[in-house]
Amino acid sequence: KGRYIAPFFFVKKTYLFYNMYIIKVMPFIVLGFFKIFCAKPIDPAILATVGSTQVTSFNFIDSYSKRLINTELNDSKYERERHLDELIKTKLFAQAAQNKKSSLNSRERSIIQLEKEKAMREELYNQIINSQSVPTNDSIARLHFQWLHTEIHIKHLFHKNKEILDSIKNRLIYNPELFDTFAVELFKNNKLKNSGGDLGWISYNTLDPALEQSAFEIPVDEISNPIRSSYGWHIILKVNEKNQMIISEADYQIQKVAIIQSVSEKQKRILADEYINNLMTSSISINDSIVIKTLHEIHWIITQKGEKLSKMLSIEDGEMLKNIILKLKLNQNLVLASFPGGNFTIHDFLDGLRRSKPIVFSNDPLQSFYIALRDKILTVEAKKLGLENNIIVQMKTKDAEDSYMARKYLLSLTKQSRTAHLSSKELNNITKTLQSEIPIKIYDSNLTNLFQNR
């Protein structure tokens, strides 16, 4: 009997332990596996989470592209990760501001609203493109492959009104030498005016897709019919052409798939631009006299403010400047144009100017007006389609908001600092403190996939 006492108690204890394990521990293991397999997959657009906010691929692509363009840095795995760290740092500051219950002022909220509307227009354009199906055959791909190895020298004429260019084209048929004369009449830009609308030598993938199609198709010395772009109508004169002499069939076969994809995307863009251009020409009524007067007043303000940097304004000019600004503010709801679904006011136009540089307006005030009007029409169309609630629009808007919140947090710290700016050492210490308080999760695979898919 003594030989079996120990095994008997061992078996009994093991059995009891096993039962307790099943009762107490297994549910947690099962729940863990359930969470792992049933958890919602992370959005590929999210590169990192920082507390309740996120670093998105949209923010990364935009800021990283600008960084490479504006510096001498080359793209590399190290630079990508370093840039991601910088964006995470910004999100840390934004989260810290949120934790402190900081809020944005009316000016900052207004700017973020402009960023939201921009994101809505971008998403509208992307949805139009993605809804198109444009098959591309081998002969079209071969033609674009040939253009890929061609440079063209072109001149162009531009006008908002197609009827004007139709009339000009009819006269150019019999008198091609008048091309330069019409350029002097149509262009306000001195370089284009004096050169006869010369755009110089152009490579493939440089022009608006609709202009590219026509410019590369027409023979040398030929003048195109009016072509519609995103901003109006153009007539193109092909001055000369240079072709690469040796193009092999093997080279074409290597690049064929990429060319077909590129051509298909360009055709989608042409159709999307056509959709947008149709919105721009659909029952739009413009109050020309008020528009011209408003453009003149804003142009005077921009000119005087620019001159004020180099010399003081006279008392009379200063008073006039104040009066015009006050008048614009008081009349900000005055309608400059109307279109199906809405109106375009002085306030809308001023918002449009806030998105561009003063030099753009100074060079062509009327063009700035049409760009701002176009943006308003597209914003109204995007709202009609419910894109305010689109997840991509919300992510881009949050990125803009976090940028201001981060700045607000750092400004709150400088008020407590003895210097106007925080040193690198101070910033590093602040970052380390926040990293210990705010959870960070980086999704390396999403960053890798972001570059593999481009």
Side-chain angles (χ1 to χ4, degrees):
K1 290 181 181 180
R3 290 176 59 188
Y4 294 98
I5 290 175
F8 174 78
F9 279 105
F10 175 77
V11 171
K12 190 173 181 179
K13 282 186 178 182
T14 303
Y15 178 75
L16 288 171
F17 175 78
Y18 176 76
N19 276 291
M20 293 298 292
Y21 177 82
I22 293 293
I23 294 170
K24 292 186 176 181
V25 180
M26 278 300 287
F28 293 99
I29 293 178
V30 172
L31 182 61
F33 277 107
F34 181 80
K35 286 183 178 179
I36 291 171
F37 288 106
C38 298
K40 186 179 178 181
I42 191 72
D43 191 316
I46 298 173
L47 305 184
T49 55
V50 182
S52 63
T53 190
Q54 304 157 340
V55 177
T56 68
S57 60
F58 313 109
N59 190 11
F60 184 93
I61 292 168
D62 182 58
S63 56
Y64 188 58
S65 299
K66 289 176 181 176
R67 183 176 183 176
L68 293 181
I69 291 170
N70 296 327
T71 66
E72 296 182 357
L73 296 173
N74 294 317
D75 175 43
S76 66
K77 187 174 183 294
Y78 169 75
E79 288 299 338
R80 296 171 191 174
E81 292 175 349
R82 189 159 76 101
H83 190 69
L84 179 59
D85 287 341
E86 289 298 317
L87 294 180
I88 289 173
K89 188 183 295 185
T90 298
K91 295 292 182 177
L92 277 170
F93 300 151
Q95 184 66 55
Q98 185 176 316
N99 293 345
K100 290 176 65 176
K101 309 296 182 184
S102 299
S103 59
L104 300 172
N105 59 38
S106 59
R107 177 182 170 276
E108 291 164 340
R109 287 195 299 270
S110 174
I111 294 173
I112 290 167
Q113 179 61 29
L114 294 180
E115 290 296 325
K116 181 178 182 178
E117 291 174 359
K118 177 185 174 185
M120 289 166 59
R121 292 192 296 272
E122 290 171 347
E123 190 55 25
L124 171 64
Y125 191 79
N126 289 334
Q127 288 194 6
I128 297 169
I129 287 178
N130 293 331
S131 67
Q132 309 290 341
S133 177
V134 184
T136 303
N137 58 37
D138 184 72
S139 60
I140 294 175
R142 287 181 180 276
L143 183 61
H144 280 260
F145 174 69
Q146 183 178 339
W147 292 346
L148 186 61
H149 298 84
T150 301
E151 280 188 293
I152 56 174
H153 181 191
I154 61 173
K155 291 183 173 183
H156 89 304
L157 301 174
F158 171 83
H159 200 277
K160 281 287 179 185
N161 194 326
K162 181 178 183 293
E163 285 70 27
I164 298 293
L165 290 190
D166 281 334
S167 175
I168 289 174
K169 174 61 192 295
N170 290 334
R171 295 180 63 183
L172 288 174
I173 291 173
Y174 302 102
N175 298 288
E177 66 278 1
L178 290 176
F179 198 96
D180 288 6
T181 303
F182 286 121
V184 173
E185 293 178 8
L186 294 177
F187 288 114
K188 294 182 179 179
N189 180 287
N190 288 329
K191 184 177 180 181
L192 291 172
K193 184 190 290 282
N194 298 331
S195 67
D198 196 343
L199 295 178
W201 285 95
I202 302 293
S203 301
Y204 183 76
N205 284 334
T206 303
L207 295 169
D208 177 289
L211 296 179
E212 178 182 85
Q213 181 85 18
S214 183
F216 278 85
E217 274 183 341
I218 60 176
V220 173
D221 293 329
E222 187 84 11
I223 298 174
S224 74
N225 290 320
I227 313 153
R228 198 180 194 181
S229 75
S230 303
Y231 301 107
W233 294 86
H234 308 254
I235 289 177
I236 291 176
L237 165 64
K238 184 183 281 188
V239 179
N240 206 345
E241 183 176 274
K242 292 188 293 188
N243 299 298
Q244 184 175 321
M245 298 302 296
I246 302 175
I247 306 174
S248 70
E249 176 66 18
D251 288 336
Y252 169 68
Q253 292 300 332
I254 291 171
Q255 299 180 53
K256 181 177 178 179
V257 173
I259 289 172
I260 288 175
Q261 183 178 354
S262 172
V263 173
S264 177
E265 289 300 316
K266 287 184 179 185
Q267 293 301 318
K268 287 181 180 181
R269 282 181 58 193
I270 291 173
L271 292 174
D273 288 340
E274 191 67 22
Y275 174 96
I276 291 169
N277 288 332
N278 288 337
L279 288 176
M280 285 294 295
T281 56
S282 176
S283 303
I284 296 177
S285 175
I286 298 175
N287 194 326
D288 293 320
S289 60
I290 296 179
V291 168
I292 296 302
K293 186 178 180 182
T294 303
L295 293 178
H296 176 75
E297 290 174 343
I298 295 174
H299 188 271
W300 193 87
I301 290 172
I302 291 176
T303 302
Q304 295 303 317
K305 281 196 171 185
E307 290 179 356
K308 190 177 179 182
L309 297 176
S310 57
K311 63 179 182 179
M312 293 298 292
L313 293 174
S314 67
I315 295 175
E316 292 79 9
D317 283 345
E319 286 301 315
M320 186 176 176
L321 183 62
K322 290 177 184 177
N323 289 335
I324 292 176
I325 293 173
L326 178 61
K327 180 183 173 184
L328 288 172
K329 288 181 178 179
L330 291 174
N331 295 316
Q332 61 179 341
N333 293 323
L334 188 64
V335 175
L336 300 177
S338 58
F339 54 91
N343 292 319
F344 181 71
T345 64
I346 288 179
H347 175 77
D348 295 323
F349 183 39
L350 294 175
D351 273 349
L353 294 181
R354 290 168 74 184
R355 293 188 294 268
S356 62
K357 297 178 181 179
I359 188 65
V360 176
F361 179 85
S362 297
N363 288 341
D364 195 340
L366 193 58
Q367 180 77 345
S368 294
F369 167 79
Y370 278 108
I371 291 172
L373 174 59
R374 177 176 181 268
D375 285 348
K376 177 63 184 289
I377 292 173
L378 293 181
T379 300
V380 170
E381 180 73 3
K383 286 182 179 178
K384 188 171 72 175
L385 297 174
L387 292 180
E388 279 185 291
N389 300 319
N390 178 274
I391 185 63
I392 294 175
V393 171
Q394 290 178 346
M395 283 183 174
K396 289 183 177 180
T397 305
K398 188 65 167 65
D399 283 336
E401 182 181 323
D402 284 345
S403 177
Y404 277 94
M405 291 294 280
R407 181 174 176 273
K408 187 173 287 287
Y409 175 74
L410 292 177
L411 285 174
S412 71
L413 296 179
T414 58
K415 291 175 183 177
Q416 302 168 13
S417 175
R418 285 175 295 179
T419 58
H421 301 284
L422 295 169
S423 67
S424 298
K425 183 178 180 181
E426 286 174 314
L427 279 175
N428 288 334
N429 289 336
I430 293 166
T431 302
K432 287 179 181 178
T433 301
L434 294 177
Q435 284 172 338
S436 66
E437 298 171 353
I438 300 171
I440 299 172
K441 173 68 175 175
I442 299 174
Y443 301 96
D444 293 313
S445 59
N446 283 355
L447 180 62
T448 302
N449 293 336
L450 180 64
F451 283 86
Q452 286 179 346
N453 297 328
R454 301 188 78 77

